[in-house]
Amino acid sequence: IPVLNNRMGFVRAIDQVLSLKRSDIEVVIIDGGSTDGTLEEIRVRESRISYWETGKDKGIADAFNRGILHSSGKFIAILNSDDFWDVNALTAIEKGVRENSEGGVFYGAVRYVDNESGYAYIRRPRLSALRYRMWLFHPAMVISRSAYECVGLYDECYTHAMDSEWCHRAMASGLSFVELEAVLANMSLGGVSDRQFIESLSQYRRSVIAHGLCGPFEAWVFFVWFAILKSTMRSVVLRPFKVLRDKLLSRV
């Protein structure tokens, strides 16, 4: 679990994992130097945490990599402090691993949640569409240690699309991806990739070209299309929804 100044979200994420009371799950916390009380929450749970550290890192990819290097399990899941597993996630993951022993990446659907409004929707993965846009979601992925050993860790040059670039690299290397027919994680809207969407999309375009999943012209078309689509969706759908919500709340 990577975290930086997100005390309440972190408590929700880690307590759900610890509530499973599984001796075969190790918890690794990489804190980026929190000053909001997150460290106190870590220390309270220290006896149930396999490893934790705090201090300034070089970015999200560095935090991911540090967590992986300090873990020892056969399979690794990265859970953002804003996100939390679905109640049936572990059952689905274990079933998938049993039935696909050669799998390198196990992935499922996510439930996107707007913590401010309570609005939520499910987004299902589409591996075949990965050259267009990120249709896999790292909180809903479990990756084998052998896959990381084969493909490598996250590229720190990709500050916003490190998970996308890793998936593109894994696909280009022929790694086995296994889809699980389940919602694995609840993912909060408003993360870095949402707040800085154009930069994320730009890095995504660079990655699909670098790994041969898409030609430069095609990648640019998708870049422009999704940039316009995102802007339109915010203007036409999200803003009126928020205005309506605020009006309703003002009458309560």
Side-chain angles (χ1 to χ4, degrees):
I1 303 176
V3 59
L4 173 61
N5 290 329
N6 187 26
R7 181 175 187 169
M8 298 309 297
F10 170 76
V11 167
R12 178 178 63 180
I14 190 172
D15 280 355
Q16 186 197 38
V17 175
L18 294 176
S19 70
L20 298 172
K21 298 180 179 179
R22 294 280 298 261
S23 60
D24 58 346
I25 294 181
E26 63 178 3
V27 179
V28 174
I29 310 297
I30 305 298
D31 178 81
S34 294
T35 58
D36 68 337
T38 297
L39 296 183
E40 286 71 15
E41 300 293 352
I42 295 174
R43 293 187 179 103
V44 167
R45 298 161 177 79
E46 192 167 16
S47 63
R48 292 178 288 171
I49 296 173
S50 301
Y51 174 85
W52 74 276
E53 64 176 50
T54 183
K56 186 174 178 57
D57 52 51
K58 292 182 287 185
I60 299 173
D62 181 38
F64 284 5
N65 292 339
R66 293 164 78 90
I68 293 167
L69 293 174
H70 284 289
S71 68
S72 61
K74 186 177 179 181
F75 296 94
I76 300 168
I78 298 175
L79 189 65
N80 296 337
S81 61
D82 267 339
D83 309 329
F84 57 101
W85 276 344
D86 189 79
V87 65
N88 297 313
L90 197 58
T91 299
I93 293 167
E94 290 181 320
K95 180 175 183 293
V97 170
R98 284 196 306 269
E99 295 176 351
N100 303 273
S101 59
E102 299 302 315
V105 179
F106 298 85
Y107 64 96
V110 294
R111 182 181 294 103
Y112 277 114
V113 180
D114 186 332
N115 293 320
E116 184 180 343
S117 68
Y119 173 71
Y121 64 96
I122 292 174
R123 188 174 174 192
R124 303 200 176 277
R126 288 177 58 195
L127 186 65
S128 61
L130 209 60
R131 67 194 185 106
Y132 309 128
R133 190 177 175 185
M134 189 57 173
W135 283 94
L136 302 187
F137 327 100
H138 76 258
M141 294 170 60
V142 175
I143 300 174
S144 69
R145 180 170 298 279
S146 61
Y148 281 119
E149 291 171 350
C150 174
V151 176
L153 298 178
Y154 294 91
D155 188 338
E156 295 175 15
C157 293
Y158 287 82
T159 55
H160 294 61
M162 71 296 298
D163 51 343
S164 304
E165 188 279 331
W166 190 92
C167 287
H168 296 155
R169 197 178 347 138
M171 290 182 69
S173 70
L175 201 67
S176 173
F177 285 71
V178 178
E179 181 174 355
L180 307 178
E181 297 295 332
V183 175
L184 298 186
N186 297 279
M187 189 170 179
S188 298
L189 292 169
V192 171
S193 60
D194 285 326
R195 297 193 307 270
Q196 301 175 24
F197 178 72
I198 296 300
E199 178 60 28
S200 301
L201 202 60
S202 177
Q203 291 186 15
Y204 194 94
R205 178 187 58 79
R206 175 156 52 97
S207 177
V208 293
I209 295 172
H211 296 297
L213 300 181
C214 199
F217 176 77
E218 190 179 15
W220 267 108
V221 170
F222 291 133
F223 172 84
V224 173
W225 167 252
F226 285 117
I228 294 173
L229 180 64
K230 183 80 169 184
S231 176
T232 302
M233 286 293 289
R234 282 178 172 170
S235 299
V236 176
V237 179
L238 295 182
R239 288 175 187 170
F241 173 80
K242 290 180 178 179
V243 169
L244 177 60
R245 181 202 64 203
D246 292 343
K247 286 183 178 179
L248 291 173
L249 290 176
S250 69
R251 297 178 181 177
V252 177

